């Protein structure tokens, strides 16, 4: 904890020099910034000593809480050996062990691990590999991708090219390669409900594949839960049917599990919920328990073998990053996966998800709550101006922002997605902690929307 004058100093320097992501700096600079000093368990503490539940897992990353002795120890142990050495043409111990571990827990058929350092780079790698897979096999026409409306796959140009959130992506459209965008099944806002939404998505994919599969390299999807669009859960069976359509028409299937991986949805991976084995799986966020920036793109033998050739053929995957396979990051990822197993975290998520669902059930009746969506410990609450007609709040109402700020005042951090209030607690949260967090959440939403 620091004295108030030091806070003032830090705040002034922050405003002078730090440009924050996804943040309108004019708004930011007009308020007192929240400056975090430390974390302990599922709480973060600011420099003035105030405690907050981490109700969005520091943007969907955190698994075991903060300042976890086992994770700290794994980093310290590795630090005593080496902090970083490259994976370009050589190896290191944690990167090898982590790859073996990932392959063991991943859906069947994913046998190769290509490391990077963020979800976006992991997605770039999947896109480039899918394209070059066909190229290396002499199939040059397959060079475009199918994505879903409102998809989010990260912020680099390739990942934005398969992104479809107008607010984030439209300004960059002239810089991007074009993708085929199909409707995402958004049951709440579809006339035909879940059945109609699922049907529309599958038939749109089928139509494109029937007519243009010879020019499509791959389809990319956020499996089961589309996150950044507002935590939108697919109707059951949709993911499985999309995967089989890809199989049928010879198009590679990329599962972006950056948000959903490592127990978040109540299964180790969202693909497991429907027995889907993708050609590529991208993981990030929770891979290191939310500790360090490591991501990975898993691929099949089939894909790998298309790059496996004589040196002269120049079929290598010419891609890599300075910190690819960073030993500190891989070491903490291994320790996080060990805790995930030892503490039966994934099984725990299912129990805790039921508890949270029961706690939030009453919220669905409130006059400005349109829908409470949940899969495992990913929860999105869509607020509406008018419940019966499902009329949305206007952008200028900042309703999600207001509800989230109220939650902060009440002692829990979260960050909205437009009119959707997000609740994505660390998986290790106890039932008692979830009880307190959901109380804050419900109260913040009621006060922000009903003024009481
Ligand atoms: C967060 C996210 C990404 C991007 O990950 P970064 O580490 O922020 O680059 C990609 N895909 C999905 C589904 C995500 O939720």
């Amino acid at each position: 904890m620091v004295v108030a004058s030091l806070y003032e100093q830090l705040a002034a320097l922050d405003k002078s020099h730090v440009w924050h992501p996804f943040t309108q700096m004019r708004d930011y600079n007009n308020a007192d910034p929240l400056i975090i000093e430390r974390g302990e368990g599922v709480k973060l503490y600011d420099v003035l000593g105030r405690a907050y539940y981490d109700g969005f897992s520091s943007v969907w990353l955190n698994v075991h809480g903060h300042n976890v002795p086992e994770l700290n120890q794994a980093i310290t142990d590795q630090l005593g050996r080496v902090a970083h050495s490259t994976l370009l043409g050589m190896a290191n111990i944690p990167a090898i062990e982590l790859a073996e571990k990932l392959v063991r827990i991943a859906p069947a058929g994913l046998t190769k691990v290509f490391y990077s350092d963020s979800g976006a780079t992991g997605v770039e790698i999947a896109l480039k590999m899918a394209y070059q897979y066909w190229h290396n096999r002499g199939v040059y026409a397959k060079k475009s991708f199918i994505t879903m409306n409102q998809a989010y796959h990260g912020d680099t140009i390739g990942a934005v090219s398969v992104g479809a959130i107008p607010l984030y992506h439209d300004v960059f459209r002239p810089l991007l390669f074009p993708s085929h965008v199909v409707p995402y099944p958004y049951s709440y806002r579809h006339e035909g409900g879940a059945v109609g939404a699922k049907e529309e998505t599958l038939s749109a994919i089928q139509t494109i594949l029937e007519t243009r599969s010879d020019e499509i390299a791959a389809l990319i999807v956020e499996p089961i839960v589309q996150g950044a669009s507002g935590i939108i859960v697919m109707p059951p069976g949709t993911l499985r049917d999309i995967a089989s359509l890809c199989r049928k028409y010879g198009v590679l299937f990329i599962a972006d599990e950056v948000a959903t991986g490592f127990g978040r949805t109540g299964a180790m991976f969202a693909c497991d919920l429907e027995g889907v084995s993708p050609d590529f799986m991208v993981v990030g966020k929770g891979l290191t328990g939310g500790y360090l920036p490591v991501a990975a793109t898993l691929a099949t033998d089939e894909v790998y073998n298309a790059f496996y050739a004589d040196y002269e053929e120049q079929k290598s995957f010419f891609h890599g990053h300075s910190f690819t396979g960073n030993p500190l990051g891989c070491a903490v990822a291994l320790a996080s996966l060990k805790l995930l197993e030892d503490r039966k975290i994934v099984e725990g998520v299912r129990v805790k998800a039921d508890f949270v669902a029961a706690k939030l059930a009453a919220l669905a009746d409130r006059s400005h709550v349109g829908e409470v969506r949940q899969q495992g410990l990913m929860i999105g609450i869509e607020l509406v101006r008018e419940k019966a007609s499902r009329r949305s709040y206007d952008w200028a109402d900042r309703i999600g922002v207001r509800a989230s700020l109220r939650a902060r005042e009440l002692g829990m951090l979260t960050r909205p997605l437009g009119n959707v209030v997000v609740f994505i607690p660390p998986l290790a949260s106890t039932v008692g902690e979830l009880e307190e967090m959901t109380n804050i959440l419900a109260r913040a939403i009621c006060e922000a929307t009903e003024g009481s």
Side-chain angles (χ1 to χ4, degrees):
M1 194 165 115
V2 304
V3 293
S5 60
L6 187 52
Y7 170 78
E8 297 300 334
Q9 260 177 39
L10 286 167
L13 290 173
D14 179 33
K15 290 179 183 184
S16 300
H17 301 302
V18 183
W19 191 345
H20 292 263
F22 278 98
T23 301
Q24 174 44 258
M25 292 308 297
R26 176 177 284 181
D27 281 1
Y28 185 88
N29 286 347
N30 281 333
D32 292 328
L34 173 62
I35 306 176
I36 297 298
E37 184 179 42
R38 62 190 182 88
E40 193 65 52
V42 298
K43 286 188 172 171
L44 290 167
Y45 296 82
D46 74 5
V47 294
L48 296 170
R50 290 175 298 203
Y52 305 89
Y53 281 111
D54 189 353
F56 67 150
S57 295
S58 296
V59 194
W60 320 3
L61 312 174
N62 194 276
V63 176
H64 306 289
H66 299 279
N67 204 5
V68 181
E70 292 85 348
L71 301 185
N72 295 1
Q73 193 60 50
I75 295 175
T76 312
D77 290 349
Q78 182 57 40
L79 198 52
R81 300 185 190 107
V82 63
H84 185 69
S85 70
T86 184
L87 224 56
L88 272 65
M90 51 202 253
N92 68 65
I93 298 170
I96 296 171
E97 290 178 350
L98 179 59
E100 187 272 338
K101 180 77 190 166
L102 284 171
V103 166
R104 197 137 47 82
I105 62 174
L110 295 166
T111 52
K112 305 293 179 188
V113 178
F114 197 102
Y115 289 109
S116 61
D117 35 45
S118 73
T121 54
V123 166
E124 295 281 345
I125 287 160
L127 298 175
K128 287 175 72 177
M129 270 184 185
Y131 166 77
Q132 195 182 339
Y133 163 81
W134 294 113
H135 188 276
N136 282 359
R137 295 185 49 188
V139 181
Y140 303 115
K142 281 165 95 68
K143 55 190 180 196
S144 64
F145 297 87
I146 300 178
T147 185
M148 316 279 280
N149 190 32
Q150 297 286 327
Y152 178 79
H153 296 291
D155 295 325
T156 53
I157 288 294
V160 170
S161 294
V162 291
I165 299 185
L167 174 66
Y168 303 163
H169 301 146
D170 274 3
V171 62
F172 299 111
R173 207 52 69 191
L175 304 184
L176 310 177
F177 59 76
S179 297
H180 302 278
V181 182
V182 297
Y184 182 86
Y186 188 1
S187 308
Y188 176 66
R189 296 213 172 267
H190 195 283
E191 292 173 348
V195 175
K198 177 181 175 185
E199 169 62 30
E200 183 186 37
T201 296
L202 292 174
S203 76
I205 293 173
Q206 165 113 22
T207 303
I208 294 181
L209 290 177
E210 262 170 12
T211 51
R212 326 183 65 158
S213 65
D214 58 344
E215 53 187 79
I216 293 166
L219 177 147
I220 181 164
V221 66
E222 293 161 79
I224 307 290
V225 188
Q226 199 179 49
S229 61
I231 318 294
I232 305 176
V233 184
M234 286 180 175
T238 312
L239 185 72
R240 195 188 46 222
D241 290 354
I242 294 174
S244 26
L245 280 173
C246 289
R247 232 15 116 239
K248 179 172 167 197
Y249 288 97
V251 160
L252 295 168
F253 183 78
I254 305 170
D256 177 354
E257 293 254 12
V258 172
T260 49
F262 308 106
R264 181 52 69 185
T265 65
M268 184 59 85
F269 298 103
C271 283
D272 298 334
L273 292 167
E274 299 200 346
V276 167
S277 291
D279 299 297
F280 298 94
M281 182 171 83
V282 185
V283 292
K285 290 197 168 96
L287 168 57
T288 60
Y291 257 57
L292 285 172
V294 178
T297 307
L298 280 72
T300 60
D301 282 346
E302 166 70 19
V303 168
Y304 178 83
N305 289 337
F307 294 76
Y308 203 79
D310 288 333
Y311 184 78
E312 295 73 25
E313 292 180 70
Q314 302 190 334
K315 286 185 170 178
S316 308
F317 188 52
F318 290 107
H319 183 115
H321 301 280
S322 305
F323 286 100
T324 295
N326 173 254
L328 288 178
C330 292
V332 74
L334 273 165
S336 174
L337 293 176
K338 181 166 180 343
L339 284 189
L340 212 61
E341 278 177 4
D342 292 352
R343 298 181 177 172
K344 302 203 182 331
I345 297 286
V346 184
E347 295 86 335
V349 167
R350 294 195 280 267
V351 177
K352 293 169 191 175
D354 287 345
F355 173 80
V356 169
K359 281 283 295 179
L360 296 179
L363 208 52
D365 296 329
R366 307 303 296 207
S367 56
H368 294 285
V369 173
E371 189 182 38
V372 179
R373 295 189 280 266
Q374 180 178 2
Q375 177 66 50
L377 285 178
M378 281 184 101
I379 294 103
I381 298 161
E382 180 165 344
L383 305 179
V384 289
R385 179 178 282 281
E386 198 183 75
K387 199 176 177 87
S389 65
R390 304 188 174 183
R391 184 155 71 90
S392 298
Y393 280 98
D394 295 330
W395 173 250
D397 291 328
R398 302 180 185 225
I399 191 66
V401 174
R402 286 197 281 127
S404 301
L405 279 179
R406 185 67 191 125
R408 185 199 286 192
E409 288 164 7
L410 296 169
M412 183 176 81
L413 303 178
T414 182
R415 191 181 158 81
L417 297 159
N419 296 336
V420 177
V421 177
V422 168
F423 180 50
I424 302 193
L427 303 187
S429 308
T430 64
V431 166
E433 289 162 342
L434 290 169
E435 162 118 49
E436 289 185 39
M437 286 190 259
T438 48
N439 285 343
I440 293 175
L441 184 71
R443 195 176 147 199
I445 286 173
C446 292
E447 292 183 359
T449 57
E450 300 166 21
S452 62

